[in-house]
Amino acid sequence: MARPSVEAERREQILSAACEVVSELGFKSLRVADVAKRAGTSTGTVHYYFDTKTELMRAAFEWNFTRSLERRRPLLDQQPDPRDRLRMFVDSYLPTDDVTVRAWRVWAELWVEALHDRDLQELNDQVYGEWRRIVAGVVRDGQDRGLFRDEDPVLVANGLIGMIDGLALQVLLGSRSMTVQRMREVCERTIRDLELTAV
Amino acid sequence: MARPSVEAERREQILSAACEVVSELGFKSLRVADVAKRAGTSTGTVHYYFDTKTELMRAAFEWNFTRSLERRRPLLDQQPDPRDRLRMFVDSYLPTDDVTVRAWRVWAELWVEALHDRDLQELNDQVYGEWRRIVAGVVRDGQDRGLFRDEDPVLVANGLIGMIDGLALQVLLGSRSMTVQRMREVCERTIRDLELTAV
Amino acid sequence: MARPSVEAERREQILSAACEVVSELGFKSLRVADVAKRAGTSTGTVHYYFDTKTELMRAAFEWNFTRSLERRRPLLDQQPDPRDRLRMFVDSYLPTDDVTVRAWRVWAELWVEALHDRDLQELNDQVYGEWRRIVAGVVRDGQDRGLFRDEDPVLVANGLIGMIDGLALQVLLGSRSMTVQRMREVCERTIRDLELTAV
Amino acid sequence: MARPSVEAERREQILSAACEVVSELGFKSLRVADVAKRAGTSTGTVHYYFDTKTELMRAAFEWNFTRSLERRRPLLDQQPDPRDRLRMFVDSYLPTDDVTVRAWRVWAELWVEALHDRDLQELNDQVYGEWRRIVAGVVRDGQDRGLFRDEDPVLVANGLIGMIDGLALQVLLGSRSMTVQRMREVCERTIRDLELTAV
DNA sequence: GATGAATGAGGTTTCATTCAT
DNA sequence: CATGAATGAAACCTCATTCAT
C-alpha cells in the first residue's frame, strides 16, 4: 500500500542531504554514494527517487531555492516600512548563519553548472525574476511613499541584487578583505544612497 | 638542442587550451585528453608540463587572470580623466566579445572551485586585492580632482566590483532580463551617481 | 476465499507476459519489472508466483512448448493422408503469423540459454524427442502405405527437423536470402524427395 | 612511437579471449572483466581497444567468422572431386573438436543476439551469403560433371546449410538422441541422396 | 494474495596518471 | 622532449530480491 507521506518525506530527506553535500564538497566532487550516506540510505534508494544524478541535482537546486524563498516570505510581510523591508531583505542574504551560507554555496554551484546547462539557466532565470520583482516592488513602494529617490526601480533592483551576489561570493570565498561586516557596510551605503534624507 | 622558448611556448599553448576547454565544458567535465587535443599534443605531454590535473588548472586560472589584467593595463593608462578611466574599466568587463566572455567563464569556474580549495581562494584574494586597489585608486583620484562625491573609496570600489561580478554572471547565464545592454545601464547609473554634477 | 482458478489464471498471465517480453527483448534484456508491467501486476506478485527469475524463465519456456504442441495436435488428427499430415506439420512451423514467430523466438532464446544450463537442456531434449517421434511416426505411416521411400524414418525425421530449425532461424533473422517463401520451397523439395512418385 | 604489430596483436588477444568467454559463459553472463582476465589484461585496456561492450562483441563475432572461413578455405582447395569437397565441407562443421565446438557456440550466441540487433543481422546475412555461395558452387560443379542430381543448387545449398545449423545446435545442447555420430549419418544420407549412383 | 519501496551487490565505463620507447 | 598504450581505481546506474503493510 502506498504511503504518500513516507515517500514525500524520503524525497525531502534526500534533497536536503544533496544540498548539504553539494555545499560541502561541491557539485564536481559529489558522489551519489555521499548523498545516500548523508540521507541514511543506499544509492539504490536515491536512484529509486531520482533516475539520474543530473535529475537529483536539478531537484536539489530547485528545493534549495524554494526553501530560501519560504524562509524570507514571512519576514517581508512583517515590515510595513519599505526601508525596513529592504534592509531586512538584504540582511537576510548576508552569509552569516550556517543555513544561509549553505544556501549560498549551493546557489553558486548552480550558477557554474548552469553555464553549461540550458535547463538550469531556465531555473536561474525564474528565480532571479522572482527576486527582481520583490526588490523592485519594495523600491516602488518606498518611492510612492516619498521615502526613496526617484530612480528606475528595475535598475535599482538589478544593481542591488547583482551587488549582493558578487559580494556574497567573495565572502563565501573567505576573502580577507571582504568579510560579512564589510559586505553589510557596502550594502548599507547603497541603501542609504537610495533614501531621501528628510530635511 | 633544447631551446627554453620552446618549452615556454608549449606551456602557454597548453594553458590557453585549458582555458578554452574550461570555458566550453566547465571544470567538472574537462578531461586532460580534451586539453591535449585542443593544444595539439598528447596527454603525456600535458603531464610533462603539469604533474597533475589540479596543478594544470591552477596554472590556467592564474594565466587567465594575468592575461585579463595585461589586456586592461594599457587602456587605463590612456585615460587621464578619472571619469573616463572608471567608465573604460567597467566597460572592458562587459561580456561582449568572445575573449571577455571566455575570461569570465573561466573566472566563474574558479570561484566555485575555490569554494573547496584554499589555494585557489588565495589566488582569488590576490586578484581581487589588485582590482580593488585599481578601482579605489581611480575613485580617490576623481575625488581629489573634485569630480566624484566624497565617499569611502574602498566601499565604493567594493560595491562596484561586486555589482559587476553579480551582473556579469547573470549575463553569462543568458538571462532574458539581464542582457549586456541592461548591465551597461545599471553600471552607468551607479557611476553617474558617484559623479558630482557641475552646477 | 481463495479460488484456485485465480491463482492458475494469474500464473498463465505472467507466463504469457514473460514469453512476449522474451520474444521482444530477449532473455538477456528481460527484466522482471518488464514482465510484471506486461502482465499488469507488480514485481512483488511475479515473485509471489516464481521464486527467482530463473524459475520464471524455465516455466515460461515450458509453457511456450506446451502451447506450441497444443496448437498443432488437432491439425495432425485431421489429416488421414500421411503426405498431407507431414506437409501440414511442416507448414505450421513456417514463421508466418505473429504467434508462430513469437514461439520461435522464445525457442531460440531457450537454445542459447540451454547451452549453459543443464536443466534447460533436459527440457529441450524432451521436446525434441516428442517432435522426432511425431515426425518419424508420420514417415513410418507413409512408408507402410507405400507412399514414402523406404529410408530410416528416424534419420529422415532428424534431417527434416534440423532443417526446419536452421531455416526458421535464418528467416527470423530477417535474412534477405532466406524468406518464408524460400523456406517453404526448400521444405517442399525435401518432402517431395521423400515421396514415391506413382508410375 | 606507435608499434602497430603490438596493437594488432593485443586486439587479437582480446578478441580471442572474448570468443572463449562467450563460448563458456554465454553473451548474457559475459563480463568485460572476464574477457580482460582471460586476455591477461585489465578492463581499462579492453575499453582502450573497444569503446563499449557491444562493440567488443560485434568485433568478436566477426573475428569468429573470419577465422572459421580461413580454417576451411585451404581444405576446400585441396579436393578436386566435388563429392569429396562437399563431404569435406560438411564434415568440417561437425562439432567434434574443441575449436569447432567453440566456434559453433559463439555463432549460436550471435544468432540470438542478432534477433534484437539489426547490425548483427547484417553480419549474419553476409556470412550466410558466403556459405550459400560456396555450397551452391560445389553442387553446381558436381552437376556439371554429371555427379549430382539435377536440382536447383541454391535450394539444395539452403537445405543443407539449414540442416547443418539445426543439427549442430542439438548436438551442442548435448542431446542424447542427436550425437555427432547421428549428425554425421543424417548429413551423409542427404549427400548420398544428391549423388547419381553410377550404373 | 498482492504490493512496491527499499536494498546492495555487481557491472560498465571513464579518466588521471604512468612509463617504456 | 614527446608520445600514447596501458592501468585500475572509482563512479553511476541497474535490477533481482525482500519484506512490511
Side-chain angles (χ1 to χ4, degrees):
Chain A
M1 180 133 20
R3 291 152 301 161
S5 66
V6 169
E7 279 211 37
E9 257 177 58
R10 195 55 88 107
R11 227 185 108 90
E12 286 243 323
Q13 223 172 71
I14 293 170
L15 289 175
S16 171
C19 285
E20 284 180 40
V21 175
V22 165
S23 159
E24 285 168 30
L25 304 181
F27 191 157
K28 205 194 59 165
S29 307
L30 172 149
R31 288 168 301 157
V32 173
D34 295 327
V35 176
K37 179 182 274 188
R38 183 65 59 104
T41 44
S42 60
T43 62
T45 301
V46 172
H47 274 100
Y48 181 78
Y49 284 91
F50 303 94
D51 275 358
T52 67
K53 185 183 172 181
T54 301
E55 199 190 309
L56 166 64
M57 291 316 300
R58 194 179 313 291
F61 284 138
E62 223 160 334
W63 189 78
N64 183 60
F65 163 64
T66 307
R67 300 271 296 188
S68 274
L69 219 57
E70 274 172 7
R71 278 200 305 276
R72 266 139 201 124
R73 195 88 67 182
L75 294 180
L76 291 173
D77 294 345
Q78 289 164 11
Q79 309 294 337
D81 189 322
R83 290 170 303 191
D84 295 339
R85 209 144 79 244
L86 190 57
R87 280 200 171 76
M88 165 108 298
F89 183 79
V90 169
D91 221 65
S92 78
Y93 278 103
L94 296 177
T96 47
D97 58 307
D98 282 1
V99 173
T100 309
V101 167
R102 174 148 63 235
W104 268 115
R105 294 171 75 101
V106 174
W107 201 252
E109 298 281 345
L110 164 74
W111 283 333
V112 168
E113 193 56 20
L115 286 173
H116 315 282
D117 182 326
R118 198 59 65 102
D119 285 353
L120 290 180
Q121 288 177 16
E122 199 58 46
L123 175 60
N124 173 76
D125 221 19
Q126 280 172 29
V127 173
Y128 268 82
E130 188 100 21
W131 280 343
R132 214 173 282 119
R133 230 169 296 128
I134 290 173
V135 175
V138 177
V139 171
R140 211 171 284 118
D141 190 18
Q143 292 173 332
D144 290 348
R145 304 198 198 180
L147 300 169
F148 289 159
R149 287 167 50 189
D150 190 35
E151 297 206 55
D152 182 343
V154 173
L155 284 188
V156 173
N158 277 328
L160 191 57
I161 290 171
M163 183 183 292
I164 291 172
D165 284 348
L167 295 177
L169 205 44
Q170 289 302 314
V171 174
L172 291 170
L173 287 173
S175 162
R176 278 187 295 272
S177 334
M178 183 48 66
T179 60
V180 176
Q181 186 46 38
R182 286 268 179 80
M183 178 176 175
R184 197 194 307 274
E185 287 171 26
V186 175
C187 291
E188 175 56 27
R189 186 197 70 89
T190 303
I191 294 178
R192 203 153 40 212
D193 228 48
L194 187 66
E195 294 176 334
L196 285 173
T197 42
V199 188
Chain B
M1 193 176 323
R3 284 163 306 160
S5 68
V6 167
E7 285 215 18
E9 253 177 59
R10 194 56 87 106
R11 227 185 108 90
E12 285 244 322
Q13 225 170 68
I14 293 170
L15 289 175
S16 170
C19 285
E20 284 180 39
V21 175
V22 165
S23 159
E24 284 168 30
L25 304 182
F27 191 157
K28 205 193 60 168
S29 306
L30 171 149
R31 287 169 303 163
V32 174
D34 294 327
V35 177
K37 178 182 272 188
R38 183 66 60 106
T41 42
S42 60
T43 61
T45 301
V46 172
H47 275 285
Y48 178 80
Y49 285 94
F50 303 94
D51 274 0
T52 68
K53 187 186 176 183
T54 303
E55 198 188 312
L56 166 65
M57 291 316 299
R58 193 179 315 291
F61 284 137
E62 223 160 332
W63 188 78
N64 183 60
F65 164 64
T66 307
R67 299 270 296 188
S68 272
L69 219 58
E70 273 171 7
R71 277 200 306 275
R72 270 147 196 113
R73 194 89 66 183
L75 293 180
L76 291 173
D77 295 345
Q78 288 164 12
Q79 308 294 339
D81 188 322
R83 290 168 303 190
D84 295 340
R85 208 144 78 244
L86 191 57
R87 280 200 171 73
M88 166 110 298
F89 183 79
V90 170
D91 222 65
S92 78
Y93 279 102
L94 295 177
T96 48
D97 58 307
D98 283 1
V99 173
T100 309
V101 167
R102 175 149 60 234
W104 267 117
R105 293 171 73 100
V106 174
W107 200 252
E109 298 280 346
L110 164 72
W111 284 333
V112 168
E113 191 56 20
L115 285 173
H116 316 282
D117 182 325
R118 199 58 65 104
D119 286 353
L120 289 179
Q121 287 178 17
E122 199 58 45
L123 174 60
N124 173 75
D125 222 19
Q126 280 171 30
V127 172
Y128 268 83
E130 188 99 24
W131 278 343
R132 215 174 281 116
R133 229 169 296 128
I134 290 172
V135 175
V138 176
V139 171
R140 210 171 284 116
D141 190 17
Q143 292 172 332
D144 290 349
R145 303 200 199 179
L147 299 169
F148 288 159
R149 287 166 52 189
D150 190 35
E151 298 205 54
D152 181 343
V154 172
L155 285 188
V156 173
N158 277 328
L160 192 56
I161 290 171
M163 183 184 292
I164 291 171
D165 285 349
L167 295 176
L169 205 44
Q170 290 302 314
V171 175
L172 292 170
L173 288 172
S175 163
R176 277 188 292 272
S177 333
M178 183 48 65
T179 60
V180 176
Q181 184 47 37
R182 286 267 179 81
M183 179 175 174
R184 196 195 309 273
E185 287 172 28
V186 176
C187 291
E188 175 57 26
R189 187 195 70 88
T190 303
I191 294 178
R192 204 152 40 210
D193 227 51
L194 187 66
E195 295 177 334
L196 286 172
T197 41
V199 187
Chain C
M1 190 174 327
R3 284 164 306 162
S5 68
V6 167
E7 284 215 22
E9 254 177 59
R10 196 56 87 103
R11 227 184 109 90
E12 285 243 323
Q13 225 171 68
I14 294 171
L15 289 175
S16 170
C19 285
E20 283 180 39
V21 175
V22 165
S23 160
E24 284 168 29
L25 304 181
F27 191 157
K28 204 192 61 167
S29 306
L30 172 148
R31 288 168 301 164
V32 173
D34 294 327
V35 176
K37 177 181 272 188
R38 183 65 61 106
T41 43
S42 60
T43 61
T45 301
V46 172
H47 276 285
Y48 177 81
Y49 286 93
F50 304 94
D51 274 359
T52 69
K53 187 185 175 183
T54 303
E55 197 189 312
L56 166 64
M57 291 316 299
R58 191 178 317 290
F61 284 137
E62 222 160 334
W63 188 78
N64 183 61
F65 164 63
T66 308
R67 300 270 296 189
S68 272
L69 219 58
E70 274 171 7
R71 276 200 306 276
R72 268 145 198 115
R73 194 89 65 182
L75 293 181
L76 290 174
D77 296 346
Q78 289 164 12
Q79 308 295 339
D81 188 321
R83 290 169 303 189
D84 295 338
R85 207 145 78 246
L86 190 57
R87 279 200 172 74
M88 166 109 298
F89 183 80
V90 169
D91 221 63
S92 77
Y93 279 101
L94 295 177
T96 48
D97 59 306
D98 283 359
V99 174
T100 309
V101 167
R102 175 148 61 237
W104 267 116
R105 293 172 73 101
V106 173
W107 201 252
E109 298 280 344
L110 164 73
W111 283 334
V112 168
E113 192 56 20
L115 285 173
H116 316 282
D117 182 326
R118 196 61 64 104
D119 286 353
L120 290 179
Q121 287 178 18
E122 198 59 45
L123 174 60
N124 173 77
D125 222 19
Q126 280 170 29
V127 172
Y128 268 83
E130 188 99 21
W131 278 344
R132 214 173 284 116
R133 228 168 298 127
I134 291 173
V135 175
V138 176
V139 172
R140 210 171 285 116
D141 189 18
Q143 291 173 332
D144 291 350
R145 303 198 199 180
L147 299 169
F148 290 158
R149 288 166 50 189
D150 190 36
E151 297 207 53
D152 180 343
V154 173
L155 283 189
V156 172
N158 277 327
L160 192 56
I161 291 171
M163 182 183 293
I164 290 171
D165 285 347
L167 294 177
L169 204 45
Q170 290 302 314
V171 174
L172 291 171
L173 287 172
S175 162
R176 276 188 294 272
S177 334
M178 184 48 65
T179 60
V180 176
Q181 185 47 36
R182 286 270 178 79
M183 179 175 173
R184 196 194 309 272
E185 288 171 27
V186 176
C187 291
E188 174 58 25
R189 186 197 69 89
T190 304
I191 295 178
R192 204 154 37 213
D193 228 51
L194 187 66
E195 296 176 334
L196 284 172
T197 42
V199 189
Chain D
M1 180 138 14
R3 290 154 300 162
S5 65
V6 168
E7 279 212 36
E9 256 177 56
R10 193 57 86 109
R11 228 184 108 89
E12 287 243 323
Q13 223 171 72
I14 293 170
L15 289 175
S16 170
C19 285
E20 285 181 37
V21 175
V22 164
S23 158
E24 285 168 29
L25 305 181
F27 191 159
K28 204 194 62 162
S29 307
L30 172 149
R31 287 168 301 157
V32 174
D34 295 328
V35 176
K37 179 181 273 187
R38 183 65 59 105
T41 45
S42 59
T43 62
T45 300
V46 172
H47 274 99
Y48 181 79
Y49 284 91
F50 303 93
D51 275 356
T52 66
K53 185 183 172 180
T54 302
E55 200 189 307
L56 166 64
M57 290 317 299
R58 193 178 313 291
F61 284 136
E62 223 160 333
W63 189 78
N64 183 60
F65 163 63
T66 308
R67 299 271 296 189
S68 273
L69 219 58
E70 274 171 7
R71 278 200 304 277
R72 266 140 199 121
R73 195 88 68 183
L75 294 181
L76 291 173
D77 295 344
Q78 288 164 9
Q79 308 293 338
D81 188 320
R83 290 168 302 190
D84 295 339
R85 208 144 80 243
L86 190 56
R87 280 200 171 74
M88 166 109 297
F89 181 80
V90 169
D91 219 65
S92 77
Y93 279 102
L94 296 178
T96 47
D97 59 307
D98 282 1
V99 173
T100 308
V101 167
R102 173 149 61 235
W104 267 115
R105 294 171 74 101
V106 173
W107 201 252
E109 298 281 345
L110 165 74
W111 282 334
V112 168
E113 193 56 20
L115 285 174
H116 315 281
D117 183 326
R118 199 60 64 102
D119 286 353
L120 289 179
Q121 287 177 18
E122 199 59 44
L123 174 60
N124 173 76
D125 222 19
Q126 280 172 28
V127 173
Y128 269 81
E130 188 99 21
W131 280 342
R132 213 172 283 118
R133 231 168 297 129
I134 290 173
V135 175
V138 177
V139 172
R140 211 172 282 117
D141 190 18
Q143 292 172 332
D144 290 349
R145 304 197 198 179
L147 300 168
F148 289 158
R149 286 166 51 189
D150 189 35
E151 296 207 55
D152 181 343
V154 173
L155 285 188
V156 172
N158 277 327
L160 192 55
I161 291 171
M163 181 184 293
I164 290 172
D165 284 347
L167 295 176
L169 205 44
Q170 290 302 315
V171 174
L172 291 171
L173 286 173
S175 162
R176 278 188 293 273
S177 334
M178 184 47 66
T179 60
V180 176
Q181 184 46 37
R182 286 269 179 79
M183 178 177 173
R184 196 193 309 273
E185 287 171 28
V186 176
C187 292
E188 174 57 25
R189 185 197 71 90
T190 303
I191 294 178
R192 202 151 42 211
D193 227 50
L194 186 66
E195 294 177 334
L196 284 173
T197 41
V199 188

